[in-house]
């Protein structure tokens, strides 16, 4: 079973994260301040480190820099109430692999944990993604549904690829904006909705079952059930 | 001439130096005119006295030794004096008895016993007992040469005075100007957002040093306030976002086990919390972006065409859905120093507005143009434009025109756009171009490296 270290001073968050990680099959250890977290992270090997940015004793980014100096290469997901772009960039430059602003939806946390796990998995990335009757070829950048070719624009391909990698799970708008458009802010108009519905028209027209599902307050998902 | 007027209008020091030079020159001029008049008087007076004295001494000789004595004295004097003086003894029939002229010069025919000017001479003519006449005169050319020399000397002096006064004014002006310029440079940096800029020369005791010191103290205070603002904003971010995050998480948890009608209501509540967080984040973004204005940290060379292209790509689907044509032709070679994420957000916000307020079938044109050393990003729509008088308020937080109450948005979009522009030292202008609104953002272009060869 993979092991995770949660360094977070807020017990309610800590509890919630541990529970989410448990659902994802991790055994999670907790530390409540930066110093203890740094000692633990340096002493034991972890498959994932979830790190809060603002903490007593030693702040998250300092812990992160020290860990990287000690050649700890575990993927690190930084959590923070400071969700601003500049701070995200600063976090990523300090050696974080991903940065998630509080508050976040459970689904979004899980999507990021999975994405990190995929990136750090030793085996090569799959060339073909299969979700129900949808087939996505990564290198050729083609999408087929039940053998029928679905033409997609550059961003539409990135969108369906991101949804397929997290098939069966709802992905939030902000997660898609960050992953597909590399945007770290929410535009006023819901541009994601419009892009998704355009993709949905291409994907679901002529098929009885809706593959691309949206739910208010949750986001969008690619349904895996046939 | 208008160029000179321009200099005077724009430079206080040009006016001061010119006034100073003019006053000094006038003073020197007055003194020199006084000297000239005094010298002229002095020369004339001494000539008069000489003539009077000569007349008196010849009169005495005539009284004691009669005509032969006077004749001898005149002859002797005629040998002594140069060409420019006249001494003549004239007989009863007007014949010359003695002297250095053959006959009396025409100018002196009307001379009398008081030395006065007669044409080219200052002269005197005195009838003696027995019908003789004694004429004495100084040719004025002699005085004229003297006075001309004096005039040249005085003219030279005035010229030197003018040059000195201009040079003095220039030096004084330059010294003061340099100090004012350094204060101006400091304030320009501050206006561009560099709150760490300080005026030099605050250590001395003169007026300028005091001004520098006061300015620096003010800037110090401003820096403290901005830092405090930033600290409190971050504090609020931390203190408020955690409870909001808990609230959101708990609502989500509860929704999962809630019966269907309640679950729908709870989804609405989660969306409401998200809205609160969004407004809160936007306010925080505005504050922190403004506070970072002028700070070069985190700014890199950004390809503006690529950023605009990304923003356009983000909105193409929305525009298509609304029947709006969104057009952009990249111009190539449009580099700027900036934060890519912020610039993208600024342009996306403006395109968002343009598309939102465009009528179906309308055009939204986005352009990037090089104007001199600047890059101008322009976003023009064919919507209703801004209500009259709203242009100045459009950037205020939560300012929304009455007519747009039905359009979604929290009224912080343009405020953030303004903050991002300020962060990058860019200027935004809104033009109502009936129909539609044209937004113009102007910032300094980043020059391509001159070493790069044109392949």
């Amino acid at each position: 079973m993979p092991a995770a270290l949660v360094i977070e001073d807020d017990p309610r968050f800590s509890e919630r994260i541990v529970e989410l990680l448990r659902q994802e099959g991790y055994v999670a250890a907790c530390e409540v301040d930066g110093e203890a977290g740094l000692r633990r992270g340096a002493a034991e090997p972890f498959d994932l480190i979830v790190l809060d940015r603002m903490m007593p004793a030693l702040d998250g980014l300092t812990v992160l820099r020290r860990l990287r100096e000690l050649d700890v290469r575990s993927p690190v997901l930084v959590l923070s109430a400071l969700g601003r772009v500049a701070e995200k960039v600063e976090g990523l430059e300090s050696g974080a692999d991903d940065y998630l602003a509080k508050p976040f939806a459970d689904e979004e946390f899980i999507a990021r944990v999975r994405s990190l796990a995929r990136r750090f998995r030793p085996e090569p990335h799959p060339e073909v993604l299969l979700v129900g009757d949808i087939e996505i070829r990564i290198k050729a950048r083609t999408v087929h549904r039940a053998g029928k070719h679905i033409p997609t624009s550059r961003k539409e391909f990135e969108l369906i690829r991101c949804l397929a990698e997290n098939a069966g799970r709802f992905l939030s708008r902000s997660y898609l904006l960050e992953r597909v458009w590399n945007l770290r802010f929410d535009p006023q108009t819901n541009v994601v909705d419009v892009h998704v519905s355009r993709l949905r028209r291409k994907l679901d027209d002529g098929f009885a079952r809706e593959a691309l599902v949206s739910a208010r307050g949750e986001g969008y998902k690619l349904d895996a059930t046939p | 001439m208008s160029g000179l007027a321009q200099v005077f209008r724009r430079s206080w020091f040009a006016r001061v130096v010119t006034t100073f030079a003019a006053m000094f020159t006038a003073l020197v001029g007055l003194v020199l005119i006084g000297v000239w008049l005094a010298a002229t008087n002095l020369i004339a007076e001494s000539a008069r006295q000489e003539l009077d004295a000569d007349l008196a001494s010849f009169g005495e000789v005539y009284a004691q030794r009669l005509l032969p004595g006077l004749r001898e004295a005149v002859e002797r004097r005629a040998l002594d004096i140069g060409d420019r003086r006249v001494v003549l003894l004239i007989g009863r029939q007007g014949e010359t008895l003695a002297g250095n002229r053959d006959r009396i010069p025409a100018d002196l025919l009307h001379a009398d016993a008081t030395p006065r000017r007669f044409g080219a001479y200052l002269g005197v003519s005195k009838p003696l007992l027995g019908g003789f006449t004694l004429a004495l005169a100084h040719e004025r050319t002699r005085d004229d040469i003297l006075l001309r020399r004096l005039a040249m000397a005085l003219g030279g002096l005035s010229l030197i005075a003018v040059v000195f006064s201009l040079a003095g004014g220039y030096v004084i002006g330059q010294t003061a100007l340099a100090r004012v310029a350094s204060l101006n440079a400091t304030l320009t940096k501050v206006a561009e957002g560099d709150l760490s800029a300080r005026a030099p020369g605050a250590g001395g005791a003169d007026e300028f040093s005091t001004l520098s010191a006061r300015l620096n103290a003010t800037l110090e205070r401003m820096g403290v306030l901005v830092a405090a603002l930033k600290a409190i904003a971050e504090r609020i971010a931390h203190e408020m976002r955690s409870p909001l995050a808990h609230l959101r998480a708990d609502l989500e948890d509860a929704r999962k086990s809630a019966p269907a009608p309640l679950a729908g209501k709870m989804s609405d509540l989660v969306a409401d919390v998200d809205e609160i967080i969004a407004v809160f984040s936007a306010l925080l973004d505005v504050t922190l972006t403004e506070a970072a204005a002028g700070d070069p940290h985190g700014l890199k060379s950004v390809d503006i065409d690529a950023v605009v292209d990304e923003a356009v790509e983000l909105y193409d689907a929305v525009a298509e859905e609304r029947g709006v044509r969104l057009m952009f032709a990249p111009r190539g070679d449009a580099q700027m120093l900036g934060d890519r994420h912020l610039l993208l957000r600024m342009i996306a916000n403006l395109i968002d507005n343009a598309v939102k307020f465009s009528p179906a079938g309308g055009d939204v044109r986005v352009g990037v143009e090089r104007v001199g050393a600047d890059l101008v990003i322009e976003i023009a729509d064919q919507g209703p434009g801004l209500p009259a008088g709203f242009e100045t308020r459009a950037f205020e937080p939560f300012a929304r025109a009455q007519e747009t109450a039905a359009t979604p948005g929290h009224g912080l979009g343009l405020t953030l756009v303004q903050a991002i522009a300020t962060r990058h030292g860019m200027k935004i202008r809104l033009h109502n171009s009936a129909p539609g609104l044209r937004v113009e953002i102007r910032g300094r272009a980043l020059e391509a490296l001159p070493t790069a060869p044109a392949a």
Side-chain angles (χ1 to χ4, degrees):
Chain A
M1 244 202 270
L5 174 63
V6 179
I7 310 173
E8 161 70 270
D9 62 322
D10 183 333
R12 286 180 66 185
F13 260 116
S14 185
E15 218 172 275
R16 178 174 158 217
I17 291 163
V18 169
E19 173 57 23
L20 289 172
L21 287 172
R22 196 187 56 76
Q23 286 172 24
E24 284 296 296
Y26 284 87
V27 180
C30 284
E31 291 298 343
V32 293
D33 70 69
E35 265 177 26
L38 178 58
R39 270 199 302 277
R40 189 85 177 259
E44 296 172 34
F46 287 99
D47 300 287
L48 174 69
I49 297 173
V50 179
L51 183 61
D52 186 31
R53 220 187 122 157
M54 277 190 173
M55 275 185 304
L58 208 57
D59 79 279
L61 289 190
T62 311
V63 172
L64 180 54
R65 271 183 224 114
R66 296 260 178 91
L67 282 174
R68 291 306 188 218
E69 279 162 19
L70 292 168
D71 207 25
V72 173
R73 295 184 190 177
S74 317
V76 173
L77 172 59
V78 173
L79 300 179
S80 174
L82 304 173
R84 282 184 65 251
V85 169
E87 273 129 18
K88 283 189 185 178
V89 172
E90 194 186 345
L92 295 176
E93 277 171 359
S94 303
D97 297 288
D98 204 355
Y99 200 107
L100 184 58
K102 290 177 187 173
F104 49 82
D106 294 351
E107 304 290 346
E108 177 142 8
F109 178 78
I110 290 167
R112 281 171 197 269
V113 168
R114 288 188 173 185
S115 156
L116 279 180
R118 249 197 318 278
R119 264 166 63 196
F120 283 80
R121 207 163 29 203
E123 66 257 37
H125 299 278
E127 155 61 7
V128 181
L129 290 170
L130 279 174
V131 182
D133 52 358
I134 298 168
E135 186 188 302
I136 299 161
R137 295 189 172 272
I138 306 295
K139 267 202 195 119
R141 300 182 75 85
T142 58
V143 181
H144 288 85
R145 182 161 184 195
K148 179 192 162 198
H149 176 247
I150 314 272
T152 53
S153 71
R154 198 162 63 92
K155 291 291 176 192
E156 281 167 351
F157 181 81
E158 294 300 326
L159 182 60
I160 194 165
R161 177 184 170 179
C162 187
L163 287 162
E165 280 172 349
N166 296 279
R169 286 203 163 268
F170 280 106
L171 297 181
S172 72
R173 254 195 257 166
S174 55
Y175 183 78
L176 288 173
L177 278 169
E178 193 174 327
R179 286 297 139 112
V180 179
W181 284 273
N182 189 22
L183 288 188
R184 291 157 199 267
F185 67 91
D186 248 331
Q188 297 187 28
T189 305
N190 191 354
V191 285
V192 180
D193 260 355
V194 182
H195 279 283
V196 167
S197 51
R198 194 153 76 165
L199 178 62
R200 182 189 291 130
R201 275 198 297 279
K202 290 183 179 180
L203 205 59
D204 289 344
D205 268 8
F207 292 91
R209 184 184 64 87
E210 265 203 349
L212 221 170
V213 190
S214 60
R216 191 177 143 67
E218 293 197 72
Y220 318 90
K221 76 170 173 183
L222 204 56
D223 217 339
T225 51
Chain B
M1 214 47 217
S2 69
L4 204 61
Q6 189 85 349
V7 169
F8 279 122
R9 196 176 59 74
R10 293 188 45 176
S11 173
W12 182 78
F13 284 106
R15 297 198 293 272
V16 167
V17 168
T18 321
T19 311
F20 175 75
M23 283 172 66
F24 189 67
T25 307
L27 184 70
V28 169
L30 278 176
V31 168
L32 294 184
I33 286 170
V35 168
W36 168 265
L37 287 176
T40 316
N41 271 333
L42 197 68
I43 287 169
E45 192 52 42
S46 79
R48 263 184 224 115
Q49 283 176 3
E50 223 177 300
L51 288 170
D52 276 339
D54 279 353
L55 213 52
S57 75
F58 282 128
E60 228 167 276
V61 170
Y62 183 58
Q64 287 173 8
R65 294 168 51 200
L66 301 177
L67 188 61
L70 178 61
R71 232 172 141 157
E72 194 193 324
V74 167
E75 287 299 344
R76 234 188 358 254
R77 174 62 64 89
L79 293 175
D80 279 355
I81 55 176
D83 264 2
R84 300 201 184 285
R85 285 172 73 170
V86 177
V87 53
L88 270 181
L89 182 62
I90 296 158
R92 288 192 190 99
Q93 276 79 45
E95 76 279 18
T96 301
L97 298 178
N100 60 355
R101 293 285 194 281
D102 292 342
R103 51 194 180 80
I104 188 158
D107 283 347
L108 289 176
L109 283 174
H110 305 290
D112 51 31
T114 322
R116 275 193 290 137
R117 285 171 62 167
F118 297 96
Y121 300 91
L122 179 77
V124 64
S125 160
K126 186 172 183 186
L128 304 172
L129 283 171
F132 308 107
T133 305
L134 183 63
L136 298 170
H138 290 188
E139 234 182 86
R140 283 183 58 230
T141 41
R142 196 189 67 143
D143 301 348
D144 286 348
I145 289 169
L146 200 68
L147 283 174
R148 204 177 298 136
R149 285 207 185 129
L150 182 65
M152 274 164 69
L154 293 183
L157 272 178
S158 352
L159 206 66
I160 290 170
V162 170
V163 168
F164 263 88
S165 64
L166 278 175
Y170 183 76
V171 168
I172 292 167
Q174 279 299 306
T175 316
L177 198 62
R179 302 199 63 171
V180 169
S182 78
L183 290 176
N184 267 334
T186 308
L187 285 174
T188 304
K189 276 194 210 154
V190 173
E192 282 166 0
D194 178 9
L195 291 186
S196 65
R198 291 293 179 270
D206 62 16
E207 293 89 338
F208 276 113
S209 301
T210 313
L211 184 57
S212 291
R214 295 258 193 288
L215 179 65
N216 287 349
T218 309
L219 291 174
E220 202 70 47
R221 179 92 190 109
M222 258 174 74
V224 169
L225 289 176
V226 169
L229 184 69
K230 203 176 159 180
I232 195 91
E234 283 181 6
R235 189 86 203 144
I236 290 172
H238 191 64
E239 297 298 327
M240 293 285 290
R241 285 236 233 167
S242 288
L244 281 171
H246 288 312
L247 178 62
R248 194 190 189 286
D250 290 350
L251 276 171
E252 259 198 299
D253 261 358
R255 183 184 59 183
K256 281 171 190 158
S257 50
L262 200 56
K265 186 73 196 155
M266 286 187 150
S267 291
D268 290 347
L269 289 178
V270 170
D272 286 347
V273 173
D274 283 344
E275 179 64 17
I276 294 171
I277 292 167
V279 171
F280 192 73
S281 303
L283 263 180
L284 203 59
D285 284 340
V286 168
T287 311
L288 296 180
T289 306
E290 272 172 359
D295 178 6
H297 180 79
L299 299 187
K300 296 187 180 98
S301 170
V302 176
D303 181 351
I304 296 297
D305 276 333
V307 172
V308 174
D309 211 35
E310 268 183 80
V312 167
E313 195 174 31
L314 186 65
Y315 278 92
D316 60 1
V318 178
E320 193 185 297
E321 196 183 53
R322 292 181 189 224
V324 173
R325 275 188 303 274
L326 179 57
M327 289 174 285
F328 169 58
R331 86 174 268 301
D333 171 38
Q335 301 282 325
M336 224 175 207
L337 202 61
D339 179 320
R340 197 195 73 91
H341 290 287
L342 288 177
L343 290 173
L344 178 56
R345 188 166 188 181
M346 174 175 80
I347 294 163
N349 247 325
L350 291 171
I351 294 180
D352 191 301
N353 273 340
V355 171
K356 195 154 60 186
F357 291 112
S358 276
D363 291 343
V364 171
R365 287 171 196 278
V366 186
V368 177
E369 248 189 280
R370 181 75 187 256
V371 180
D374 294 342
L375 271 185
V376 178
I377 307 167
E378 212 177 66
I379 294 142
D381 64 46
Q382 295 175 331
L386 290 176
F390 193 70
E391 291 94 331
T392 47
R393 293 204 303 120
F395 295 111
E396 288 172 15
F398 304 110
R400 301 194 62 190
Q402 289 275 295
E403 292 82 348
T404 67
T407 316
H410 41 57
L412 284 169
L414 279 182
T415 311
L416 185 60
V417 164
Q418 174 77 79
I420 293 173
T422 306
R423 167 81 178 90
H424 289 87
M426 297 165 139
K427 298 264 176 297
I428 303 189
R429 282 165 66 189
L430 304 175
H431 304 274
N432 257 328
S433 53
L437 179 70
R438 192 160 57 83
V439 183
E440 187 189 291
I441 310 159
R442 184 185 273 258
R444 182 58 62 90
L446 196 62
E447 297 301 331
L449 289 177
T451 49

